[in-house]
Amino acid sequence: MTMQTHIMTSTGRATAAGLAVSFSAVRLRPLIAVVVASAVLLGVTLGGVIVPADVHLVVLLVVVPALTAPADNTRTTVSMTALACLGVVAVDVDDGLPSSPILPIDFLGLLVVCVLVLVFRRLRDVDHRTLHAVRSVSETAQRALLPPLPCRVAGLEIATAYRSAAAHAHIGGDVYAAERVDRTVRMLIGDVRGNGLAAVDDAAAVIGAFREAAHRDVQLEHVALSLDASVRRRVDQAGQTDSNASERFITALVLEIPDDLDVVHVISCGHPDLMRSHGTDVDLLEVPQPAPPLGLGGDQAAYQVNTFGFEPEDTLLLHTDGLLETRDSAGVFYPALDRFALLAEDEPHHLIERLMSDLTVHAGGEVHDDVAMVAVRRRVAPSTASADEDGHHASPDPQTLPRDCDQVRQDRHLLRSNGRPGAVRALGKIRLKAGSWWSGLLGIDVLEGVRAEGSVDRFLRAVAFGQVTPT
């Protein structure tokens, strides 16, 4: 089965390299076609002149216009066909056939192939334009149903990855969402029964229900109750036309991460436990009594809030069962916890990308279930110098922070580059001359900031989280 991976983090180095290779291959394909067609034309023409006249190689020249099919324009095919006609004349004259019916037959063969190539290329171009339009509409709808999570919210750094079981789809039966509510971040990760496009309807509905309940309900257990009620309403409505509607349910984790407490509150609705890295330790945050999946009618008592430690520099990995149930050719399940332990110290976007790549390799390139992953890392709180009179740290407004990691990475690239006046790179750090354009642009003493933070990455992170104040 062909799989389509949708990585909603910023494009990593491996992904960017793969895209660059694919783009180069697409651009080189027409050139390679012309080179091969030219080689065939030259070889057949020279061979036809050299071999005896009773060996009529010139008929092979009909492949010349056919080989130009991958070319981008009509001019290439017509030009190569004209050159092939000259080759036919040269060989037939050398063979003493200028007045025989063989010469016009050879011409006709070339012209027929040329016309067929042009007709099929026209049909191909129409299909490509239609496919491009359909994909544009599809991708817009998919982004509306499952938009990327913010790269940073308050003191959290978030990265996501998604792989749909349906070919060419960026969404399936797995869902995730995050909402900023007062001084907390509420998150959802869920798995709709079924996979691929058949589960998209329920997936979109539960995301919408979560966004509404996250802001309306004060207590986390009430959010879970609202989600269950929403799913049950949909099941009841679907039961009027679908006899199997009673079997529809959604496993989910509902989380709440406060700004001022180093904890995470979790309600499990029959969903796989999340993983946590703490220093060099990695463990499962096991919920002792999970509630029934959404849609199966759990009561308020079933939705118990479980609290776990979540300290600065800890990383949480939320995932769906596709990560755990993927097998290799020998039937061995993917060792998710062990691989997470090896990669836990990576930045969240690198962690997610490498896990998804490793999962694909483990499955031999064919993952037959939807897979969603969300990595959340709590960053070190700002220094006490930035605290207010009550000792509370100011949290950046999430709307003012970039919602896509691409912007952060572009800033990092610009800051590291040595192509602008006043900037040089040295031993993984940077030093900027006094009065450099970066200081004027950002209103920040970049040189002193990098010296204080010790690296470009930490300095940029401090700027993003408000730990460095523009002068």
Side-chain angles (χ1 to χ4, degrees):
M1 177 185 294
T2 304
M3 310 297 294
Q4 176 74 23
T5 302
H6 182 51
I7 305 301
M8 290 193 176
T9 58
S10 59
T11 306
R13 290 190 296 269
T15 305
L19 290 175
V21 171
S22 301
F23 182 72
S24 298
V26 171
R27 293 294 300 272
L28 286 175
R29 194 177 301 159
L31 178 60
I32 293 174
V34 172
V35 170
V36 172
S38 301
V40 171
L41 172 61
L42 182 61
V44 171
T45 302
L46 292 177
V49 173
I50 295 174
V51 300
D54 56 345
V55 181
H56 198 61
L57 295 181
V58 75
V59 295
L60 298 178
L61 288 178
V62 295
V63 304
V64 172
L67 288 173
T68 64
D72 294 329
N73 51 61
T74 301
R75 185 183 305 170
T76 300
T77 300
V78 173
S79 299
M80 293 303 299
T81 301
L83 292 175
C85 289
L86 294 178
V88 167
V89 172
V91 174
D92 284 352
V93 169
D94 182 74
D95 291 342
L97 304 173
S99 58
S100 71
I102 295 179
L103 180 60
I105 292 175
D106 290 338
F107 275 151
L108 182 62
L110 284 171
L111 294 177
V112 169
V113 174
C114 177
V115 170
L116 289 176
V117 169
L118 296 179
V119 169
F120 285 121
R121 179 184 293 146
R122 175 65 177 174
L123 296 176
R124 180 198 65 186
D125 291 342
V126 171
D127 289 341
H128 282 182
R129 285 194 295 269
T130 303
L131 179 60
H132 178 73
V134 170
R135 282 183 173 176
S136 298
V137 174
S138 174
E139 290 174 0
T140 301
Q142 289 167 349
R143 284 194 298 269
L145 290 174
L146 192 64
L149 299 186
C151 179
R152 294 185 301 273
V153 177
L156 304 179
E157 186 173 346
I158 303 174
T160 60
Y162 200 106
R163 173 185 285 270
S164 175
H168 307 295
H170 293 171
I171 187 173
D174 292 353
V175 298
Y176 49 74
E179 293 293 324
R180 176 76 170 155
V181 182
D182 296 330
R183 295 183 58 80
T184 65
V185 176
R186 286 179 169 175
M187 302 187 69
L188 167 75
I189 187 166
D191 186 355
V192 178
R193 183 180 181 273
N195 58 47
L197 297 178
V200 169
D201 186 32
D202 289 339
V206 75
I207 291 176
F210 170 76
R211 289 175 180 157
E212 178 66 23
H215 292 274
R216 183 188 63 237
D217 298 318
V218 176
Q219 297 181 353
L220 192 62
E221 51 265 43
H222 290 167
V223 175
L225 274 172
S226 296
L227 293 177
D228 178 72
S230 175
V231 174
R232 281 191 285 116
R233 282 194 300 271
R234 289 187 58 81
V235 170
D236 292 340
Q237 293 173 359
Q240 301 175 7
T241 56
D242 183 3
S243 59
N244 297 321
S246 59
E247 300 178 5
R248 293 162 66 171
F249 59 84
I250 301 173
T251 66
L253 287 179
V254 185
L255 290 80
E256 186 176 77
I257 305 175
D259 290 354
D260 51 0
L261 295 175
D262 293 339
V263 297
V264 55
H265 304 302
V266 182
I267 294 178
S268 174
C269 302
H271 197 79
D273 295 318
L274 67 160
M275 306 177 192
R276 177 189 62 187
S277 71
H278 177 70
T280 58
D281 298 328
V282 171
D283 56 354
L284 281 176
L285 302 185
E286 299 185 49
V287 175
Q289 294 182 343
L294 302 176
L296 298 185
D299 55 18
Q300 183 172 351
Y303 298 111
Q304 298 182 8
V305 178
N306 301 266
T307 301
F308 303 95
F310 184 37
E311 299 178 2
E313 298 305 322
D314 287 359
T315 300
L316 299 178
L317 179 64
L318 292 66
H319 59 88
T320 56
D321 60 6
L323 181 68
L324 305 177
E325 297 178 356
T326 298
R327 302 171 183 255
D328 62 10
S329 57
V332 178
F333 289 107
Y334 181 70
L337 187 62
D338 294 339
R339 301 298 170 84
F340 175 56
L342 294 175
L343 303 174
E345 294 184 358
D346 285 0
E347 293 296 315
H349 58 276
H350 289 153
L351 165 66
I352 289 292
E353 290 170 358
R354 294 178 67 181
L355 273 177
M356 189 64 82
S357 298
D358 188 55
L359 178 70
T360 305
V361 172
H362 179 84
E366 297 185 0
V367 181
H368 297 287
D369 194 6
D370 299 326
V371 180
M373 290 184 284
V374 180
V376 184
R377 176 166 295 178
R378 187 190 289 277
R379 290 305 183 185
V380 177
S383 62
T384 56
S386 62
D388 59 21
E389 295 179 356
D390 297 327
H392 297 296
H393 297 287
S395 298
D397 180 357
Q399 300 302 322
T400 65
L401 296 178
R403 295 183 62 83
D404 196 322
C405 293
D406 287 340
Q407 180 177 340
V408 177
R409 192 163 296 157
Q410 289 170 5
D411 291 343
R412 183 182 295 116
H413 173 72
L414 285 173
L415 195 57
R416 282 175 167 166
S417 67
N418 57 9
R420 299 298 297 266
V424 295
R425 178 165 46 185
L427 301 176
K429 302 179 181 180
I430 66 168
R431 298 177 180 176
L432 299 180
K433 296 179 181 178
S436 68
W437 68 278
W438 263 100
S439 295
L441 178 64
L442 297 179
I444 298 173
D445 191 333
V446 181
L447 176 58
E448 294 304 321
V450 174
R451 285 176 177 171
E453 296 295 333
S455 73
V456 174
D457 288 344
R458 283 197 291 273
F459 171 67
L460 283 175
R461 191 178 302 128
V463 172
F465 282 87
Q467 299 172 19
V468 175
T469 304
T471 56

